[in-house]
Amino acid sequence: CTQSKQPTNIFFLIFSMSRPELSGPPEEFYDAKEAKKYTSSSRIINIQKEISDRCIELLNIPPGERRLVLDIGCGSGLSGAALENVGHTWIGCDISRDMLRIASERNIQYDDIPDENDEYEVEDLPDEEDDAIMMEEESQSEESDIPAAKRRKTNQIAAELVQHDMGLGLPFRDGTFDAAISVSALQWLCYDNSSEQSAPKRLARFFASLYRCLKRSSRAALQFYPENDTQASLIASAAAKAGFAGGIVIDFPNSSKARKHYLCLSMDRSYRKPQAKTDQDTRSAKGKANKNDRNWLLAKKSYQRKKGRHVRPDTKYTGRKRKDRF
Protein backbone atom coordinates (compact mmCIF):
# COMPACT_ATOMS: atom_id res chain seq x y z
CA CYS A 1 0.00 0.00 0.00
CA THR A 2 2.86 2.36 0.82
CA GLN A 3 4.47 1.83 -2.58
CA SER A 4 1.23 2.49 -4.43
CA LYS A 5 0.71 5.85 -2.69
CA GLN A 6 4.24 7.12 -3.16
CA PRO A 7 4.00 8.02 -6.88
CA THR A 8 0.75 9.89 -6.23
CA ASN A 9 2.32 11.92 -3.43
CA ILE A 10 5.36 12.72 -5.54
CA PHE A 11 3.15 13.79 -8.43
CA PHE A 12 1.13 16.03 -6.12
CA LEU A 13 4.27 17.69 -4.75
CA ILE A 14 5.64 18.35 -8.23
CA PHE A 15 2.31 19.67 -9.47
CA SER A 16 1.80 21.89 -6.42
CA MET A 17 5.27 23.39 -6.93
CA SER A 18 4.29 24.44 -10.46
CA ARG A 19 0.88 25.66 -9.23
CA PRO A 20 1.38 27.67 -6.02
CA GLU A 21 -2.38 28.20 -5.89
CA LEU A 22 -2.73 24.61 -4.70
CA SER A 23 -0.54 25.19 -1.65
CA GLY A 24 -3.03 27.42 0.17
CA PRO A 25 -4.03 31.07 0.46
CA PRO A 26 -1.74 33.58 -1.30
CA GLU A 27 -1.09 35.55 1.89
CA GLU A 28 0.43 32.38 3.40
CA PHE A 29 2.36 31.32 0.31
CA TYR A 30 3.96 34.73 -0.25
CA ASP A 31 5.53 35.04 3.19
CA ALA A 32 8.72 36.97 3.93
CA LYS A 33 10.96 34.19 2.62
CA GLU A 34 9.02 33.65 -0.61
CA ALA A 35 8.64 37.39 -1.19
CA LYS A 36 12.39 37.92 -0.91
CA LYS A 37 13.07 35.01 -3.26
CA TYR A 38 10.45 36.28 -5.70
CA THR A 39 12.08 39.68 -5.99
CA SER A 40 15.71 38.50 -6.05
CA SER A 41 15.34 36.15 -9.03
CA SER A 42 16.52 37.78 -12.25
CA ARG A 43 14.45 35.29 -14.23
CA ILE A 44 11.21 36.22 -12.45
CA ILE A 45 12.00 39.93 -12.70
CA ASN A 46 12.54 39.67 -16.47
CA ILE A 47 9.32 37.69 -16.94
CA GLN A 48 7.35 40.16 -14.83
CA LYS A 49 8.74 43.08 -16.81
CA GLU A 50 7.89 41.43 -20.12
CA ILE A 51 4.33 40.67 -19.03
CA SER A 52 3.85 44.14 -17.53
CA ASP A 53 5.02 45.81 -20.72
CA ARG A 54 2.60 43.66 -22.69
CA CYS A 55 -0.27 44.63 -20.38
CA ILE A 56 0.55 48.30 -20.87
CA GLU A 57 0.67 47.75 -24.62
CA LEU A 58 -2.77 46.10 -24.54
CA LEU A 59 -4.22 49.12 -22.72
CA ASN A 60 -3.47 51.12 -25.87
CA ILE A 61 -2.95 54.40 -24.04
CA PRO A 62 -1.75 57.17 -26.40
CA PRO A 63 1.97 57.89 -25.99
CA GLY A 64 2.78 60.79 -23.70
CA GLU A 65 -0.52 60.68 -21.80
CA ARG A 66 -0.29 60.12 -18.07
CA ARG A 67 -2.99 57.99 -16.44
CA LEU A 68 -3.90 56.73 -12.97
CA VAL A 69 -3.66 52.93 -13.18
CA LEU A 70 -4.77 50.32 -10.66
CA ASP A 71 -2.28 47.46 -10.28
CA ILE A 72 -4.21 44.45 -8.95
CA GLY A 73 -1.99 41.92 -7.20
CA CYS A 74 0.91 44.36 -7.42
CA GLY A 75 3.18 42.17 -5.25
CA SER A 76 6.61 43.71 -4.79
CA GLY A 77 6.00 46.50 -7.30
CA LEU A 78 7.70 45.04 -10.38
CA SER A 79 4.69 45.76 -12.58
CA GLY A 80 4.33 49.18 -10.98
CA ALA A 81 7.90 49.98 -11.99
CA ALA A 82 6.93 49.25 -15.60
CA LEU A 83 4.04 51.72 -15.27
CA GLU A 84 6.36 54.38 -13.88
CA ASN A 85 8.78 53.85 -16.76
CA VAL A 86 6.13 55.04 -19.21
CA GLY A 87 5.02 57.93 -17.00
CA HIS A 88 1.86 56.58 -15.34
CA THR A 89 0.82 56.96 -11.72
CA TRP A 90 -0.37 53.77 -10.03
CA ILE A 91 -2.01 52.42 -6.91
CA GLY A 92 -1.15 48.87 -5.87
CA CYS A 93 -3.45 46.35 -4.23
CA ASP A 94 -2.27 43.00 -2.87
CA ILE A 95 -3.19 40.55 -0.12
CA SER A 96 0.39 39.73 0.94
CA ARG A 97 1.77 42.17 3.48
CA ASP A 98 5.31 40.83 3.00
CA MET A 99 5.17 41.56 -0.73
CA LEU A 100 3.77 45.03 -0.07
CA ARG A 101 6.53 45.72 2.42
CA ILE A 102 9.11 45.08 -0.30
CA ALA A 103 7.13 47.27 -2.71
CA SER A 104 7.07 50.02 -0.09
CA GLU A 105 10.84 49.81 0.33
CA ARG A 106 11.28 50.01 -3.45
CA ASN A 107 9.09 53.13 -3.64
CA ILE A 108 10.61 55.11 -0.78
CA GLN A 109 13.57 56.80 -2.44
CA TYR A 110 14.91 60.31 -2.26
CA ASP A 111 13.27 61.45 -5.47
CA ASP A 112 10.01 59.55 -5.04
CA ILE A 113 8.42 61.06 -1.93
CA PRO A 114 4.69 61.72 -2.45
CA ASP A 115 3.31 65.21 -2.08
CA GLU A 116 0.97 65.90 0.84
CA ASN A 117 -1.77 66.99 -1.57
CA ASP A 118 -1.75 63.71 -3.48
CA GLU A 119 -4.87 61.91 -2.28
CA TYR A 120 -6.62 58.89 -3.72
CA GLU A 121 -10.18 57.99 -2.96
CA VAL A 122 -10.46 54.73 -1.04
CA GLU A 123 -13.95 53.64 -0.16
CA ASP A 124 -14.81 52.91 3.48
CA LEU A 125 -16.15 49.37 3.61
CA PRO A 126 -17.50 47.51 6.66
CA ASP A 127 -14.86 46.06 8.94
CA GLU A 128 -15.92 42.48 8.30
CA GLU A 129 -15.49 42.91 4.55
CA ASP A 130 -12.50 45.22 4.33
CA ASP A 131 -9.05 44.04 5.33
CA ALA A 132 -7.33 46.95 3.57
CA ILE A 133 -4.31 48.30 5.39
CA MET A 134 -2.50 51.27 3.94
CA MET A 135 1.26 50.89 4.08
CA GLU A 136 1.71 54.55 5.05
CA GLU A 137 2.96 54.13 8.63
CA GLU A 138 6.06 52.26 7.53
CA SER A 139 6.62 54.76 4.73
CA GLN A 140 6.37 57.74 7.08
CA SER A 141 8.91 56.22 9.49
CA GLU A 142 11.36 55.76 6.61
CA GLU A 143 10.70 59.29 5.28
CA SER A 144 11.70 60.80 8.62
CA ASP A 145 15.27 59.60 8.07
CA ILE A 146 15.51 61.35 4.69
CA PRO A 147 16.93 64.90 4.70
CA ALA A 148 14.28 67.52 4.01
CA ALA A 149 16.41 69.04 1.26
CA LYS A 150 16.22 65.81 -0.69
CA ARG A 151 12.44 65.37 -0.32
CA ARG A 152 11.59 67.07 -3.56
CA LYS A 153 8.70 66.51 -5.91
CA THR A 154 9.49 64.93 -9.29
CA ASN A 155 7.46 63.56 -12.18
CA GLN A 156 7.30 60.16 -10.49
CA ILE A 157 5.08 59.66 -7.46
CA ALA A 158 5.54 56.87 -4.94
CA ALA A 159 2.54 54.57 -5.25
CA GLU A 160 -0.08 54.11 -2.58
CA LEU A 161 -0.21 50.47 -1.48
CA VAL A 162 -3.32 48.75 -0.13
CA GLN A 163 -3.45 45.36 1.56
CA HIS A 164 -6.74 43.81 0.53
CA ASP A 165 -8.30 40.57 -0.72
CA MET A 166 -9.56 41.29 -4.23
CA GLY A 167 -12.06 38.43 -3.87
CA LEU A 168 -13.99 40.63 -1.41
CA GLY A 169 -14.32 43.37 -3.99
CA LEU A 170 -11.99 46.31 -4.62
CA PRO A 171 -12.26 49.05 -1.92
CA PHE A 172 -12.21 52.10 -4.21
CA ARG A 173 -14.81 54.68 -5.11
CA ASP A 174 -16.68 54.79 -8.39
CA GLY A 175 -14.83 56.09 -11.44
CA THR A 176 -11.43 56.44 -9.75
CA PHE A 177 -9.07 54.83 -12.27
CA ASP A 178 -8.23 55.40 -15.92
CA ALA A 179 -7.02 51.81 -16.44
CA ALA A 180 -6.13 48.60 -14.61
CA ILE A 181 -3.52 45.89 -15.02
CA SER A 182 -2.78 42.65 -13.22
CA VAL A 183 0.07 40.17 -13.51
CA SER A 184 -0.21 36.54 -12.35
CA ALA A 185 -2.92 37.19 -9.76
CA LEU A 186 -6.35 36.56 -11.24
CA GLN A 187 -6.12 32.75 -11.17
CA TRP A 188 -5.97 32.77 -7.35
CA LEU A 189 -9.69 33.60 -7.30
CA CYS A 190 -10.47 30.22 -8.88
CA TYR A 191 -9.41 28.25 -5.78
CA ASP A 192 -11.46 27.82 -2.61
CA ASN A 193 -9.22 27.82 0.45
CA SER A 194 -12.05 27.35 2.93
CA SER A 195 -15.64 26.15 3.06
CA GLU A 196 -16.81 29.77 3.21
CA GLN A 197 -15.21 30.67 -0.12
CA SER A 198 -16.78 30.21 -3.55
CA ALA A 199 -14.81 30.86 -6.73
CA PRO A 200 -17.80 32.07 -8.82
CA LYS A 201 -18.91 34.46 -6.07
CA ARG A 202 -15.39 35.83 -5.52
CA LEU A 203 -14.96 36.38 -9.26
CA ALA A 204 -18.36 38.09 -9.46
CA ARG A 205 -17.52 40.45 -6.58
CA PHE A 206 -14.14 41.26 -8.06
CA PHE A 207 -15.33 42.10 -11.58
CA ALA A 208 -18.36 44.02 -10.31
CA SER A 209 -16.13 46.21 -8.14
CA LEU A 210 -13.59 46.60 -10.96
CA TYR A 211 -16.34 47.74 -13.32
CA ARG A 212 -17.51 50.23 -10.73
CA CYS A 213 -14.14 51.82 -9.88
CA LEU A 214 -13.05 52.31 -13.52
CA LYS A 215 -13.97 55.36 -15.56
CA ARG A 216 -16.33 54.91 -18.49
CA SER A 217 -13.57 55.15 -21.10
CA SER A 218 -11.23 52.80 -19.23
CA ARG A 219 -9.64 49.52 -20.21
CA ALA A 220 -8.09 46.67 -18.27
CA ALA A 221 -5.43 44.10 -19.19
CA LEU A 222 -5.25 41.23 -16.72
CA GLN A 223 -2.66 38.50 -17.26
CA PHE A 224 -3.30 35.17 -15.57
CA TYR A 225 -2.30 31.50 -15.62
CA PRO A 226 -5.39 29.27 -15.91
CA GLU A 227 -5.00 25.67 -14.88
CA ASN A 228 -7.25 24.57 -17.75
CA ASP A 229 -9.72 25.91 -20.30
CA THR A 230 -12.55 25.60 -17.79
CA GLN A 231 -10.90 28.14 -15.49
CA ALA A 232 -10.30 30.52 -18.39
CA SER A 233 -13.95 30.30 -19.41
CA LEU A 234 -15.08 30.84 -15.81
CA ILE A 235 -13.02 34.03 -15.55
CA ALA A 236 -14.11 35.37 -18.95
CA SER A 237 -17.80 34.70 -18.26
CA ALA A 238 -17.61 36.43 -14.86
CA ALA A 239 -16.16 39.53 -16.55
CA ALA A 240 -18.88 39.50 -19.21
CA LYS A 241 -21.64 39.20 -16.57
CA ALA A 242 -20.23 42.28 -14.83
CA GLY A 243 -20.75 44.30 -18.02
CA PHE A 244 -17.30 44.26 -19.62
CA ALA A 245 -16.67 43.88 -23.34
CA GLY A 246 -13.63 42.07 -24.68
CA GLY A 247 -12.18 38.62 -24.17
CA ILE A 248 -9.07 36.53 -23.67
CA VAL A 249 -6.00 37.15 -25.82
CA ILE A 250 -3.56 34.20 -25.93
CA ASP A 251 -0.05 35.12 -26.97
CA PHE A 252 2.07 32.35 -28.53
CA PRO A 253 -0.71 29.72 -28.34
CA ASN A 254 1.50 26.99 -29.81
CA SER A 255 4.28 27.39 -27.25
CA SER A 256 4.24 25.55 -23.93
CA LYS A 257 6.57 28.06 -22.21
CA ALA A 258 5.84 31.40 -23.87
CA ARG A 259 2.04 30.94 -23.90
CA LYS A 260 0.35 33.76 -21.95
CA HIS A 261 -3.32 34.54 -21.27
CA TYR A 262 -4.48 38.17 -21.12
CA LEU A 263 -8.04 39.16 -20.28
CA CYS A 264 -8.56 42.40 -22.20
CA LEU A 265 -11.60 44.37 -21.02
CA SER A 266 -13.25 47.67 -21.85
CA MET A 267 -16.25 49.67 -20.70
CA ASP A 268 -17.09 50.35 -24.37
CA ARG A 269 -19.52 47.72 -25.70
CA SER A 270 -18.13 48.14 -29.24
CA TYR A 271 -14.63 47.19 -28.06
CA ARG A 272 -12.88 44.33 -29.84
CA LYS A 273 -10.00 42.52 -28.20
CA PRO A 274 -6.51 43.09 -29.65
CA GLN A 275 -4.63 40.67 -31.85
CA ALA A 276 -2.51 38.04 -30.13
CA LYS A 277 1.19 37.61 -30.71
CA THR A 278 2.27 34.48 -32.53
CA ASP A 279 5.50 32.53 -32.94
CA GLN A 280 5.77 33.88 -36.47
CA ASP A 281 5.69 37.46 -35.14
CA THR A 282 8.59 36.67 -32.81
CA ARG A 283 10.69 35.10 -35.55
CA SER A 284 10.10 38.01 -37.91
CA ALA A 285 10.89 40.52 -35.15
CA LYS A 286 14.08 38.84 -34.04
CA GLY A 287 15.22 37.60 -37.42
CA LYS A 288 18.52 35.87 -37.95
CA ALA A 289 21.61 37.53 -36.57
CA ASN A 290 23.73 39.04 -39.30
CA LYS A 291 27.35 38.48 -38.35
CA ASN A 292 28.45 41.11 -40.86
CA ASP A 293 26.36 43.78 -39.17
CA ARG A 294 28.26 46.54 -37.37
CA ASN A 295 26.02 46.42 -34.28
CA TRP A 296 26.55 42.68 -33.97
CA LEU A 297 30.31 43.11 -34.20
CA LEU A 298 30.35 45.89 -31.59
CA ALA A 299 28.27 43.81 -29.20
CA LYS A 300 30.54 40.82 -29.75
CA LYS A 301 33.68 42.87 -29.06
CA SER A 302 32.12 44.37 -25.94
CA TYR A 303 31.32 40.87 -24.68
CA GLN A 304 34.90 39.76 -25.27
CA ARG A 305 36.24 42.79 -23.38
CA LYS A 306 34.07 41.95 -20.38
CA LYS A 307 35.64 38.51 -20.34
CA GLY A 308 39.06 40.14 -20.09
CA ARG A 309 40.25 39.30 -23.58
CA HIS A 310 42.37 41.58 -25.72
CA VAL A 311 40.20 43.20 -28.38
CA ARG A 312 41.25 45.76 -30.96
CA PRO A 313 39.70 49.22 -30.46
CA ASP A 314 36.59 50.26 -32.35
CA THR A 315 37.09 52.57 -35.32
CA LYS A 316 35.01 53.92 -38.17
CA TYR A 317 36.17 50.93 -40.20
CA THR A 318 34.74 48.38 -37.75
CA GLY A 319 32.11 46.32 -39.50
CA ARG A 320 32.64 48.04 -42.85
CA LYS A 321 32.51 45.75 -45.81
CA ARG A 322 35.73 45.53 -47.74
CA LYS A 323 35.84 46.00 -51.46
CA ASP A 324 36.05 42.91 -53.60
CA ARG A 325 39.33 44.13 -55.07
CA PHE A 326 42.07 46.32 -53.75
Side-chain angles (χ1 to χ4, degrees), residues 164-301:
H164 184 74
D165 181 4
M166 60 181 175
L168 299 177
L170 299 172
F172 303 102
R173 293 183 180 178
D174 297 359
T176 302
F177 299 99
D178 301 306
I181 68 169
S182 179
V183 177
S184 308
L186 195 56
Q187 71 274 2
W188 285 93
L189 294 178
C190 297
Y191 296 87
D192 302 333
N193 295 308
S194 67
S195 59
E196 299 177 354
Q197 292 184 353
S198 171
K201 292 182 179 180
R202 287 170 61 81
L203 285 168
R205 282 195 295 264
F206 166 72
F207 282 112
S209 62
L210 178 62
Y211 188 91
R212 179 174 47 79
C213 70
L214 289 176
K215 295 180 180 179
R216 291 308 168 197
S217 58
S218 302
R219 293 181 180 179
L222 315 175
Q223 184 272 333
F224 65 103
Y225 292 103
E227 185 176 345
N228 46 49
D229 293 339
T230 303
Q231 274 192 6
S233 300
L234 178 64
I235 292 174
S237 62
K241 289 179 181 178
F244 283 107
I248 296 178
V249 175
I250 304 177
D251 284 352
F252 313 112
N254 299 324
S255 173
S256 58
K257 293 184 178 180
R259 180 185 175 106
K260 297 291 186 300
H261 289 71
Y262 297 87
L263 182 62
C264 300
L265 305 174
S266 175
M267 313 288 282
D268 184 6
R269 300 303 302 175
S270 62
Y271 171 78
R272 295 293 180 267
K273 64 181 182 181
Q275 293 292 329
K277 290 185 177 181
T278 62
D279 298 333
Q280 185 176 0
D281 296 335
T282 305
R283 287 194 296 268
S284 60
K286 291 183 177 180
K288 187 175 181 180
N290 183 9
K291 295 184 178 181
N292 294 324
D293 182 69
R294 175 180 171 85
N295 294 330
W296 183 90
L297 288 173
L298 293 175
K300 184 70 174 179
K301 293 175 71 174

Side-chain angles (χ1 to χ4, degrees), residues 38 42-54 73-79 82 99 183-184 223 225:
Y38 190 86
S42 59
R43 174 180 172 273
I44 293 178
I45 292 175
N46 291 333
I47 293 176
Q48 288 284 101
K49 182 183 183 303
E50 180 182 347
I51 295 175
S52 301
D53 291 340
R54 176 58 171 159
C74 63
S76 60
L78 296 175
S79 49
M99 295 289 275
V183 177
S184 308
Q223 184 272 333
Y225 292 103

Side-chain angles (χ1 to χ4, degrees), residues 55-250:
C55 287
I56 296 172
E57 178 185 351
L58 292 171
L59 292 178
N60 196 26
I61 298 176
E65 293 191 8
R66 184 178 182 182
R67 303 292 176 86
L68 176 60
V69 183
L70 173 61
D71 188 356
I72 307 165
C74 63
S76 60
L78 296 175
S79 49
L83 289 169
E84 291 180 359
N85 289 338
V86 293
H88 298 308
T89 306
W90 62 284
I91 295 180
C93 177
D94 200 282
I95 195 173
S96 171
R97 188 173 184 85
D98 292 303
M99 295 289 275
L100 289 175
R101 183 174 289 108
I102 295 178
S104 178
E105 294 171 356
R106 291 165 61 92
N107 278 320
I108 299 303
Q109 298 177 5
Y110 288 161
D111 292 338
D112 292 311
I113 305 302
D115 193 277
E116 294 179 355
N117 297 324
D118 291 331
E119 296 181 356
Y120 303 106
E121 299 176 334
V122 180
E123 183 178 358
D124 294 330
L125 295 180
D127 293 338
E128 62 272 12
E129 295 182 3
D130 185 18
D131 295 331
I133 301 177
M134 300 299 293
M135 308 294 289
E136 294 178 350
E137 297 179 358
E138 299 175 5
S139 301
Q140 291 174 357
S141 63
E142 295 185 28
E143 289 179 30
S144 61
D145 298 333
I146 300 175
K150 290 193 175 183
R151 297 186 201 171
R152 61 179 183 271
K153 182 75 173 180
T154 62
N155 292 332
Q156 290 185 341
I157 302 176
E160 298 289 345
L161 304 174
V162 182
Q163 183 181 4
H164 184 74
D165 181 4
M166 60 181 175
L168 299 177
L170 299 172
F172 303 102
R173 293 183 180 178
D174 297 359
T176 302
F177 299 99
D178 301 306
I181 68 169
S182 179
V183 177
S184 308
L186 195 56
Q187 71 274 2
W188 285 93
L189 294 178
C190 297
Y191 296 87
D192 302 333
N193 295 308
S194 67
S195 59
E196 299 177 354
Q197 292 184 353
S198 171
K201 292 182 179 180
R202 287 170 61 81
L203 285 168
R205 282 195 295 264
F206 166 72
F207 282 112
S209 62
L210 178 62
Y211 188 91
R212 179 174 47 79
C213 70
L214 289 176
K215 295 180 180 179
R216 291 308 168 197
S217 58
S218 302
R219 293 181 180 179
L222 315 175
Q223 184 272 333
F224 65 103
Y225 292 103
E227 185 176 345
N228 46 49
D229 293 339
T230 303
Q231 274 192 6
S233 300
L234 178 64
I235 292 174
S237 62
K241 289 179 181 178
F244 283 107
I248 296 178
V249 175
I250 304 177

